[in-house]
Amino acid sequence: MNGRTDPLGLHAAVGRACGNMLVFDNSLSILNRTGAYHIAKDLTREFVPGWAGVRYWRLGSFAPEGLVRKIVARLMMLEINWLRDSEAFLIRDKVDGPAFRLFLDPLYVLRSRLTKNDIVLCHDVGPLTHSDLYDERTCSNYRLAYEKIRRVRPGVVFVSNFSASHFELLFGSDFRFLKTIPLYLRTELFDGPAEAVPSVSGAFFLTVGAFETRKNQIAALKAYRDGEFHRQGVGYILCGSRGAGHAEIAELAGTVPGVRLMGYVPDAQLRWLYANAEAFVLPSLLEGFGMPALEAAYMGLLPIVSADSALVEAVGANCLQVRPDYPPAIADAMWKALSRSPAEKAPTSRLLRDTASAATKERFLQQWRELLITGS
């Protein structure tokens, strides 16, 4: 485990089972710096080096950073956009026979040789099921990638049953295997003291997540506005990085009294926000797993989330489910959360904390060890 102790010998067992016949394709990390990046980084750190190799696009084991990473990311996407699923100039790995690769995102099977022995990690099938949330080139590339996966039928791992079920609806179940390994809570976020956010007092709702169209902050803002929560002295704080859709979200937020867009928030302040909010609001249009809701659950904060979504699955259905396309339903849920007594809040908070605490990195990595040992 890269210098860490391994009292059960599990890492050695994986090595004996797989030898050096496994290559992690971590091209994802060159381009994507969202939650998927952290998952890829943790998997690579746990299982590489020693018995497996790692590949960053055409750079081999060299992991670019800084300006070099940005330049390489552009070159990699130029290649994908130009050659797409062509058989010309595919990346060739030094693995043969029973060897296999783990692709940490479906997109990167396009420029690689894909075999039935391989494994593909799928976070969601959003570019296929929610194409209106992505640009056409992204959708086109992922359609080709998934078509290649459909033809070859390797093993596929999903981060939620929600993503797995949508994949099966599109492509069926005739693959080497389909397996769900749920993600885990990165508890480092909650280590350390909390720091109050200046000028924030009284009750408030909280949303944490990139300002993107798919996160559906527009509907949540309309629910807050139309519910007239500001008149009751209840604020609404939204935190996150800028994404596709930020300008529209910021424009609406600027017209609603009581709303505060904070952008990036230091961990100490984020801990304070989670600990002091009345409820967590995220009626997202698409989530592969639902990490924001799981973070809220870890702090015992009631999530208000999209019905029948990965967010619901992440918190074990201990939440208020709403129609994401109907702001009045979101407002009703916000009022319901606000009206709870301390006695009503306590048991729900305990259930939420218990659910989130069970989503450990150790459990996640153990399931991956077992999969890589058996190959299915």
Side-chain angles (χ1 to χ4, degrees):
M1 296 185 184
N2 297 352
R4 299 187 294 277
T5 59
D6 183 17
L8 300 180
L10 291 169
H11 197 243
V14 175
R16 287 193 298 271
C18 299
N20 287 304
M21 299 186 298
L22 171 61
V23 172
F24 278 43
D25 182 291
N26 197 7
S27 303
L28 163 80
S29 294
I30 298 174
L31 183 68
N32 189 322
R33 293 283 155 146
T34 66
Y37 161 77
H38 293 290
I39 299 305
K41 183 178 179 180
D42 286 345
L43 280 171
T44 303
R45 178 185 295 154
E46 185 69 15
F47 297 113
V48 177
W51 55 272
V54 61
R55 186 225 303 155
Y56 297 87
W57 185 47
R58 295 186 178 276
L59 305 183
S61 60
F62 172 68
E65 292 295 340
L67 179 61
V68 173
R69 180 186 68 81
K70 293 179 181 179
I71 294 172
V72 171
R74 285 178 178 269
L75 293 173
M76 181 175 69
M77 290 311 301
L78 282 171
E79 181 188 60
I80 289 174
N81 292 333
W82 180 38
L83 296 177
R84 310 187 81 191
D85 62 343
S86 168
E87 291 293 313
F89 306 111
L90 289 178
I91 300 172
R92 302 289 179 176
D93 300 308
K94 296 179 180 179
V95 290
D96 297 296
F100 64 99
R101 302 157 195 79
L102 170 59
F103 291 91
L104 296 175
D105 186 274
L107 180 65
Y108 304 102
V109 307
L110 285 176
R111 302 308 313 139
S112 297
R113 184 166 60 92
L114 181 67
T115 74
K116 195 166 185 175
N117 288 335
D118 294 331
I119 300 172
V120 181
L121 174 59
C122 173
H123 288 263
D124 63 69
V125 290
L128 279 61
T129 59
H130 295 72
S131 57
D132 57 313
L133 300 178
Y134 299 85
D135 64 85
E136 176 52 36
R137 178 167 286 178
T138 296
C139 294
S140 178
N141 286 339
Y142 271 98
R143 279 194 293 267
L144 287 171
Y146 278 112
E147 174 57 24
K148 187 171 184 176
I149 292 166
R150 185 200 64 78
R151 290 197 310 268
V152 178
R153 301 192 178 280
V156 185
V157 177
F158 305 92
V159 298
S160 67
N161 291 324
F162 178 83
S163 292
S165 64
H166 281 74
F167 180 93
E168 286 194 58
L169 285 173
L170 291 169
F171 304 111
S173 58
D174 184 21
F175 290 78
R176 185 162 71 87
F177 65 80
L178 300 177
K179 182 180 180 63
T180 297
I181 300 181
L183 299 185
Y184 57 92
L185 184 73
R186 297 176 63 84
T187 56
E188 304 96 293
L189 169 64
F190 303 98
D191 295 337
E195 177 187 330
V197 176
S199 304
V200 175
S201 61
F204 61 90
F205 296 110
L206 177 65
T207 291
V208 178
F211 293 107
E212 298 176 349
T213 302
R214 72 181 182 93
K215 297 289 186 179
N216 206 25
Q217 287 101 332
I218 291 290
L221 286 165
K222 290 179 178 178
Y224 174 81
R225 178 196 65 195
D226 298 345
E228 299 187 333
F229 292 97
H230 178 60
R231 290 179 178 271
Q232 306 301 317
V234 181
Y236 187 12
I237 296 176
L238 298 91
C239 311
S241 59
R242 295 191 176 200
H246 175 268
E248 183 183 3
I249 295 165
E251 182 179 2
L252 176 59
T255 68
V256 183
V259 171
R260 183 171 174 182
L261 264 59
M262 297 192 62
Y264 170 78
V265 175
D267 287 351
Q269 292 187 355
L270 190 57
R271 286 191 283 271
W272 184 88
L273 289 169
Y274 273 126
N276 289 277
E278 291 293 326
F280 180 82
V281 185
L282 190 63
S284 182
L285 300 173
L286 174 67
E287 295 287 343
F289 175 72
M291 190 60 71
L294 190 64
E295 290 178 354
Y298 188 77
M299 297 296 289
L301 182 59
L302 178 68
I304 299 172
V305 296
S306 309
D308 303 317
S309 68
L311 293 159
V312 176
E313 181 182 338
V315 299
N318 298 307
C319 57
L320 296 180
Q321 300 187 43
V322 298
R323 274 181 52 186
D325 61 340
Y326 191 53
I330 302 170
D332 287 345
M334 294 166 80
W335 276 117
K336 184 175 181 180
L338 194 62
S339 64
R340 295 178 303 154
S341 68
E344 291 172 315
K345 292 180 180 180
T348 302
S349 292
R350 284 195 297 271
L351 283 172
L352 287 165
R353 290 191 180 97
D354 289 345
T355 298
S357 296
T360 65
K361 182 189 290 189
E362 290 72 22
R363 186 179 72 172
F364 173 80
L365 293 174
Q366 172 63 21
Q367 289 180 288
W368 272 103
R369 289 188 195 101
E370 292 170 358
L371 174 64
L372 296 176
I373 289 171
T374 63
S376 62

